[in-house]
Amino acid sequence: DAYVDVGVYQEGTGVATASLDLNNNGSLSVIADARAISAGNNADASATIYPGISQTANAGTIASVALTNASSSTLTISADAVASGIFADASANVYGIYQNATGEDEATIALVNNGALTVSANADATAIAYARASAEVSDAVHQSADGAVASVALTNSATGTLEVSAVAAAAGEDARAYASNYWAFYQNADAADGDATAALTNAGTLTISAAATATATDSGILNNANAYGTNEYAISQTATASLGGNAAVSLDNTGTLAITADANASAGDDAYAYAYQYDAITQNADAYGGGDASVTVANSNKLDITAKAVATGSSATADAYNYYGIYQTVDAYASGTADSGNAAVSLTNASTGTINITATADAVATSGSADASGYVENGVYQYAYSANGDASVSITNDGALNITAIANAD
């Protein structure tokens, strides 16, 4: 087994201020690589990173945490597991970048990528009999700020490529592949008596994916393949403000943003592919005691949220589910004698923008039954509540907004 228990660790505690900075101007890599090859026996390989980078700041006044990946620089956090044998099991798990700031007066967190930043889990299992591959990424970037005033920000510039991927491939008489991506980008800002902001800006290429491929070989009595690709809470943003502060959450995409769940199963006998996408973009803002609460998604280029399942076998089943592609909620509450502020939810797609929210299932059976299910529920969900002020919910589409479910069974 290969295990990295914190690749880079930074912690600062100050009576007044605490400031943490990580500036990468070259090549920074945190790798766990496990390989088990056995021609005549079982093979098990496990690779884990937990986490790749950890930054924690605690201060009596101001706490700040920052990570910058310069242009032409590479930052890679990757767990890779390869197993080959009669029975083969490959497992890869990654917890990426953890950023936390706690300051009595102010807490700020920023991550800026101008180069290539990759967080990935890759599992490959090849067997004569049973093959299992499992790849999981959890919290590729986790940002949490807590202070009187709190802000978190993630920026992928026009020169930036940011990729978070879980890839599992299994091949054998009985092949099973599991790829899971959870909370790829998690942002939380909690302000005790000021403003709370959570912002994600993408001007480059940002990809969040889970891809599972299972291939059954003709080596024995069984010839089954099962593939499961799961992507949940890919972008999760929350801001909470108390004592009259404003809570604001924003996602601004001027580049290419893709959130995908893919499953592909191929077998001589039974093939099953399951692709599951849930809360791809979720935003929540809560304001107490007079402050305003707002969440916004603005797109002027390309935003894809997809679930795709493909199964091919003597009998084949493909299920693709896409729940709550874009989920936005805001609440403005009264507190004590203070009335609430306003609550606003906004989704804007410019004339140059395309938003695709899709579920596609393809099942091809050579002799038996073929079943396909493509399902989308609440492609866009918006909710606003204000106890005493105004509540507004809006979608402005000047480009192309496509919500599609497709099922093909042959």
Side-chain angles (χ1 to χ4, degrees):
D1 294 351
Y3 194 102
V4 176
D5 186 1
V6 189
V8 176
Y9 181 84
Q10 292 183 311
E11 181 177 358
T13 300
V15 175
T17 65
S19 177
L20 305 181
D21 290 288
L22 194 163
N23 296 292
N24 181 43
N25 300 304
S27 175
L28 193 165
S29 62
V30 180
I31 307 293
D33 191 301
R35 296 175 185 271
I37 311 297
S38 178
N41 293 293
N42 301 339
D44 296 293
S46 176
T48 302
I49 299 174
Y50 191 86
I53 297 172
S54 178
Q55 298 176 296
T56 301
N58 299 282
T61 57
I62 300 173
S64 65
V65 172
L67 188 158
T68 302
N69 190 43
S71 59
S72 302
S73 297
T74 59
L75 197 166
T76 303
I77 301 171
S78 182
D80 305 289
V82 177
S84 178
I86 295 178
F87 294 87
D89 193 322
S91 177
N93 298 275
V94 170
Y95 186 111
I97 299 170
Y98 176 82
Q99 296 180 300
N100 180 268
T102 302
E104 289 293 327
D105 294 337
E106 183 178 348
T108 63
I109 296 174
L111 188 153
V112 178
N113 178 51
N114 299 311
L117 196 163
T118 302
V119 179
S120 65
N122 305 288
D124 191 313
T126 303
I128 295 173
Y130 175 75
R132 179 184 181 275
S134 174
E136 180 177 316
V137 176
S138 180
D139 292 271
V141 177
H142 180 110
Q143 299 177 307
S144 182
D146 191 340
V149 176
S151 67
V152 295
L154 188 153
T155 302
N156 189 45
S157 73
T159 60
T161 300
L162 211 172
E163 181 178 1
V164 180
S165 64
V167 179
E173 180 182 315
D174 187 358
R176 305 188 181 207
Y178 306 86
S180 304
N181 208 326
Y182 302 113
W183 289 285
F185 299 104
Y186 174 87
Q187 296 181 305
N188 180 68
D190 196 334
D193 60 6
D195 294 340
T197 60
L200 191 152
T201 303
N202 177 52
T205 300
L206 195 159
T207 305
I208 305 165
S209 63
T213 301
T215 305
T217 56
D218 295 319
S219 58
I221 298 174
L222 292 176
N223 193 239
N224 302 323
N226 294 269
Y228 303 84
T230 301
N231 202 336
E232 299 184 34
Y233 304 103
I235 297 174
S236 178
Q237 301 173 287
T238 301
T240 304
S242 301
L243 299 179
N246 299 318
V249 171
S250 66
L251 189 158
D252 184 14
N253 180 54
T254 59
T256 300
L257 172 55
I259 304 171
T260 63
D262 293 296
N264 194 310
S266 177
D269 290 330
D270 297 332
Y272 179 60
Y274 176 85
Y276 183 74
Q277 181 92 252
Y278 185 81
D279 266 10
I281 297 172
T282 178
Q283 299 178 311
N284 176 257
D286 293 327
Y288 296 84
D292 296 331
S294 65
V295 297
T296 62
V297 170
N299 178 62
S300 59
N301 202 330
K302 190 172 184 182
L303 197 168
D304 290 329
I305 301 170
T306 65
K308 185 175 182 179
V310 178
T312 304
S314 61
S315 64
T317 302
D319 293 325
Y321 300 103
N322 199 331
Y323 293 94
Y324 299 98
I326 299 174
Y327 181 89
Q328 300 173 293
T329 65
V330 295
D331 294 279
Y333 298 103
S335 179
T337 59
D339 288 342
S340 72
N342 300 321
V345 175
S346 173
L347 169 62
T348 303
N349 191 39
S351 60
T352 55
T354 299
I355 299 175
N356 296 312
I357 301 172
T358 65
T360 304
D362 293 317
V364 178
T366 57
S367 59
S369 63
D371 297 298
S373 176
Y375 185 82
V376 176
E377 181 175 316
N378 288 306
V380 177
Y381 178 95
Q382 297 179 310
Y383 171 82
Y385 167 80
S386 174
N388 307 108
D390 298 327
S392 64
V393 173
S394 70
I395 296 175
T396 302
N397 178 45
D398 295 318
L401 172 58
N402 307 306
I403 301 170
T404 310
I406 300 171
N408 296 307
D410 297 318

